Amino acid sequence: QVQLVQSGAEVKKPGASVKVSCKASGYTFTGYYMHWVRQAPGQGLEWMGRINPNSGGTNYAQKFQGRVTMTRDTSISTAYMELSRLRSDDTAVYYCASLDLRSGVDYWGQGTLVTVSS
Amino acid sequence: AIRMTQSPSSLSASTGDRVTITCRASQGISSYLAWYQQKPGKAPKLLIYAASTLQSGVPSRFSGSGSGTDFTLTISCLQSEDFATYYCQQYYSYPRTFGPGTKVDIK
């Protein structure tokens, strides 16, 4: 069956970087864009960006431009999201999601809690 | 960026009620709108895409309508498992933006 398995929870200090992985199985990894969405505690969903697993092309939300980097390794069907210069308000659950909303495809990871605290 | 708004932000309802949630886009998005359901501690679940197309496996009590800037999600007969938070998302352009959510809880 389709699975997106994310890496485990992280605790980081302000100013550090975090890299979250998302391993796909059960479908063609290069078939759909991989999106990253985050959710701060008690808050709504925030779209961060997406990567085309085929080409590696990316679109980032302007809010994260310069701080976020999305990459992929097609040989192991894994996508990565790295966020740098972390602040306390980056504390959130980060989700990867393989989406093609034009055809109703949505596969989500289980989420990765990133806590930024001194 | 296209701004998405939802109303109400929360509502209390009883099992069996008909519930309607509204989503508005700051500019026209044709029918490029999705609705998600999210329960605490879980990833969002796609309910509807293309404004009115029911995702496979989603109960028929859920329906969506609208195009352009104004959209609605209707739950025709609320069930206990429907108490959750609902988000709309536009996929007309980047950045993909979500509405702030509507929490549906038990009256």
Side-chain angles (χ1 to χ4, degrees):
Chain A
Q1 78 281 24
V2 172
Q3 277 194 300
L4 293 180
V5 178
Q6 299 183 222
S7 48
E10 304 261 14
V11 179
K12 296 291 184 181
K13 294 195 181 302
S17 298
V18 68
K19 190 170 186 177
V20 179
S21 67
C22 172
K23 183 170 177 58
S25 62
Y27 75 103
T28 303
F29 175 67
T30 52
Y32 311 109
Y33 289 177
M34 188 70 77
H35 298 248
W36 290 87
V37 174
R38 78 176 187 179
Q39 187 168 38
Q43 302 301 308
L45 302 171
E46 182 173 30
W47 185 85
M48 298 180 69
R50 65 87 173 154
I51 183 167
N52 179 338
N54 255 320
S55 66
T58 54
N59 281 91
Y60 300 141
Q62 187 166 11
K63 174 177 180 176
F64 301 102
Q65 288 275 4
R67 284 210 302 144
V68 71
T69 305
M70 296 178 187
T71 56
R72 91 290 188 220
D73 184 340
T74 56
S75 69
I76 56 171
S77 299
T78 300
Y80 303 92
M81 186 284 299
E82 184 170 22
L83 189 62
S84 63
R85 303 193 300 278
L86 290 168
R87 307 183 293 253
S88 58
D89 62 358
D90 290 318
T91 294
V93 175
Y94 290 76
Y95 293 101
C96 61
S98 186
L99 301 173
D100 181 358
L101 292 177
R102 285 170 167 79
S103 58
V105 171
D106 85 312
Y107 310 135
W108 289 75
Q110 82 276 18
T112 296
L113 175 62
V114 175
T115 302
V116 183
S117 173
S118 54
Chain B
I2 297 174
R3 182 169 175 261
M4 306 301 292
T5 56
Q6 286 182 236
S7 61
S9 56
S10 65
L11 65 91
S12 296
S14 301
T15 304
D17 284 353
R18 181 182 182 90
V19 167
T20 299
I21 298 168
T22 297
C23 175
R24 177 165 289 174
S26 61
Q27 64 186 75
I29 59 170
S30 185
S31 295
Y32 295 106
L33 185 98
W35 288 98
Y36 294 89
Q37 176 192 69
Q38 188 183 32
K39 296 182 179 180
K42 300 294 186 181
K45 172 188 172 184
L46 181 65
L47 298 176
I48 287 169
Y49 61 98
S52 61
T53 302
L54 201 63
Q55 172 69 321
S56 176
V58 173
S60 59
R61 63 181 179 272
F62 290 92
S63 63
S65 65
S67 67
T69 59
D70 295 313
F71 303 87
T72 60
L73 172 70
T74 300
I75 310 172
S76 60
C77 183
L78 200 64
Q79 301 299 300
S80 58
E81 60 266 32
D82 301 336
F83 293 100
T85 301
Y86 294 85
Y87 296 92
C88 60
Q89 184 198 24
Q90 66 82 18
Y91 54 102
Y92 178 81
S93 68
Y94 288 107
R96 306 294 199 229
T97 41
F98 288 94
T102 295
K103 184 175 182 180
V104 178
D105 62 20
I106 301 171
K107 183 184 284 184

